[in-house]
Amino acid sequence: MTESDIIKYLYAWHCKRGELFFPHVKTGSSWLYKGRQLRILDGLAIKISWTSPEFTGYEIKISRSDFLRDKKHNEYLPYCTGFSFVCPDKMIKKDEIEENIGLIYVKEDGSLRTAKKAPRLTPDVNTQNYLLRYLVYYRSGSNREQIMAAANQVSRERRRASEKERKARDFQDRFYELQNNYYNIPHEVRKQYEKES
């Protein structure tokens, strides 16, 4: 199982719930962090709500050695209302996780199981602001891509309709041509043809 696989499973899981999901989310702009460490969440899910929005951060681990040497995960907490490790089924034990962090297992079939619920965190508003600005400034291209896809679809439909109209005009012209040829046949010949038909 790869990190990309787990990202796909998380994306599908949150889409079913009507939530937004972004992979590899920076905690701000690269130029803003000159001289400081810029962090990148493996995933960020956003539950849309005006009264109690949720920003769930994810750190994906696909090997025990990667998990054991990870020391940076606590730096993500000020950006989130909840934070969880996500790993292949039972790779990390619940008692290896701090109490303010959740744990999600990914099974072979791609289903997700919450092994330890992430407790509610209170993000630092100023810190979280950088992450949200990053999303708006650099990751809102998905809307532009949807608009472009829709515009391309409309363009294709117009081309198809135009082609059908051209074929209809060609058929009509051919019909009128045959009709004119028929009426140009001398009257006697036409009568004879109609009797035989």
Side-chain angles (χ1 to χ4, degrees):
M1 190 177 295
T2 66
E3 181 183 314
S4 295
D5 293 329
I6 293 176
I7 284 173
K8 286 177 195 168
Y9 301 144
L10 284 168
Y11 176 80
W13 196 40
H14 285 287
C15 281
K16 281 181 187 174
R17 298 168 169 216
E19 298 168 355
L20 304 174
F21 181 80
F22 301 89
H24 304 123
V25 176
K26 292 182 181 179
T27 55
S29 168
S30 301
W31 66 266
L32 190 68
Y33 276 77
K34 287 178 182 172
R36 293 186 295 157
Q37 186 65 50
L38 177 70
R39 295 298 182 200
I40 302 173
L41 285 157
D42 289 333
L44 178 73
I46 301 175
K47 180 181 176 183
I48 302 168
S49 169
W50 288 108
T51 54
S52 56
E54 293 179 14
F55 303 89
T56 306
Y58 294 108
E59 177 75 4
I60 296 170
K61 297 298 177 190
I62 55 171
S63 72
R64 281 217 34 101
S65 58
D66 184 22
F67 166 69
L68 293 171
R69 70 173 173 263
D70 184 281
K71 303 296 179 202
K72 68 184 184 307
H73 58 272
N74 282 310
E75 295 176 31
Y76 296 126
L77 303 184
Y79 298 93
C80 309
T81 57
F83 181 83
S84 294
F85 279 108
V86 187
C87 68
D89 199 19
K90 298 178 182 170
M91 189 192 84
I92 301 170
K93 306 286 186 282
K94 284 194 281 187
D95 58 7
E96 294 179 292
I97 304 291
E98 295 101 318
E99 63 180 51
N100 58 346
I101 294 175
L103 177 63
I104 296 172
Y105 291 146
V106 182
K107 298 187 176 184
E108 283 296 321
D109 63 0
S111 62
L112 303 175
R113 182 173 72 85
T114 302
K116 181 181 172 210
K117 186 172 170 41
R120 180 88 179 179
L121 302 171
T122 303
D124 177 78
V125 176
N126 292 326
T127 304
Q128 191 185 47
N129 182 35
Y130 288 116
L131 180 140
L132 296 176
R133 283 165 64 187
Y134 163 78
L135 286 175
V136 171
Y137 296 162
Y138 302 108
R139 299 294 290 278
S140 58
S142 59
N143 289 337
R144 287 196 298 274
E145 288 163 11
Q146 289 171 6
I147 291 167
M148 285 303 295
N152 289 337
Q153 179 68 23
V154 168
S155 184
R156 283 193 297 274
E157 291 297 330
R158 283 184 179 157
R159 280 197 299 274
R160 282 192 204 111
S162 179
E163 181 64 17
K164 286 178 182 175
E165 285 175 10
R166 186 190 63 76
K167 286 181 179 177
R169 280 195 305 272
D170 289 348
F171 177 79
Q172 188 178 35
D173 291 346
R174 182 68 180 139
F175 173 76
Y176 288 143
E177 183 184 346
L178 290 172
Q179 192 177 33
N180 285 338
N181 289 344
Y182 173 76
Y183 287 120
N184 286 334
I185 297 172
H187 183 68
E188 298 78 24
V189 175
R190 230 179 26 237
K191 285 281 190 189
Q192 183 64 33
Y193 175 77
E194 287 170 358
K195 281 180 187 176
E196 292 173 2
S197 328

